[in-house]
Amino acid sequence: MATPEFIRRIRATAGHQLLYLPGVSAVVFDDAGRVLLGRRADTGYWSIIGGIPEPGEQPAAAARREVEEETAVVCVAERIVLVQALEESVTYPNGDVCQFMDICFRCRATGGEARVNDDESLDVGWFGLDALPPMSEGVVARIKLAAGDGPTLFEEAGSG
């Protein structure tokens, strides 16, 4: 994930210490019910698309922007799937440490052709729910939640 300029300014004084940041992720479906995935350049793993909202940017707008920036797919956010503080922090190769509060959206593709559109992805593609590549359990859980019609998932304190 490219580091936003506002984070670089914070890092200039905060150093590599843990920053708790907002994050958005998007589970994007096409009309055939396939899900849009990108293979991340930083880890090589397949995942849903996500990123960090800019200051003042609404979360749904950030999710739409990230999808278009990374995959050239235009989408619309339909609903919030999950709001979750990610338990594990991420340590980047430069030593920066972050932990994210993820707001995950179910989105519907409305245009564009899926392709690698920036340097954050190695590959981009549409996958049937029965043909997903290997991914983390958290990503698979988000896809399953987005594919269903259940309510937004919120974790209560102590519920794990």
Side-chain angles (χ1 to χ4, degrees):
M1 152 184 329
T3 305
E5 183 56 37
F6 80 96
I7 299 293
R8 288 191 193 130
R9 288 192 302 271
I10 293 169
R11 286 287 183 203
T13 57
H16 298 297
Q17 70 178 304
L18 173 68
L19 294 181
Y20 190 62
L21 299 170
V24 294
S25 57
V27 181
V28 183
F29 292 101
D30 67 4
D31 290 338
R34 299 175 302 171
V35 65
L36 179 65
L37 300 174
R39 193 159 66 88
R40 296 175 58 102
D42 60 351
T43 64
Y45 297 131
W46 286 97
S47 189
I48 55 178
I49 308 304
I52 300 171
E54 295 289 333
E57 185 179 31
Q58 294 298 325
R64 290 189 307 265
R65 175 184 51 77
E66 290 288 346
V67 169
E68 189 167 2
E69 284 178 0
E70 295 181 26
T71 71
V73 170
V74 178
C75 69
V76 60
E78 294 182 321
R79 69 180 178 90
I80 295 174
V81 172
L82 170 130
V83 177
Q84 183 181 50
L86 302 184
E87 291 182 12
E88 294 184 24
S89 61
V90 178
T91 302
Y92 292 95
N94 68 356
D96 289 351
V97 182
C98 297
Q99 188 174 13
F100 294 94
M101 168 66 72
D102 182 43
I103 302 171
C104 181
F105 291 89
R106 175 192 167 108
C107 300
R108 180 177 38 85
T110 59
E113 294 292 325
R115 63 180 167 84
V116 173
N117 203 37
D118 65 12
D119 61 356
E120 295 184 44
S121 299
L122 300 172
D123 199 1
V124 169
W126 293 102
F127 293 83
L129 295 179
D130 59 350
L132 297 173
M135 292 180 290
S136 75
E137 290 180 27
V139 172
V140 172
R142 282 165 171 71
I143 293 170
K144 287 179 180 179
L145 286 168
D149 291 326
T152 301
L153 178 64
F154 300 97
E155 289 188 10
E156 296 288 332
S159 68

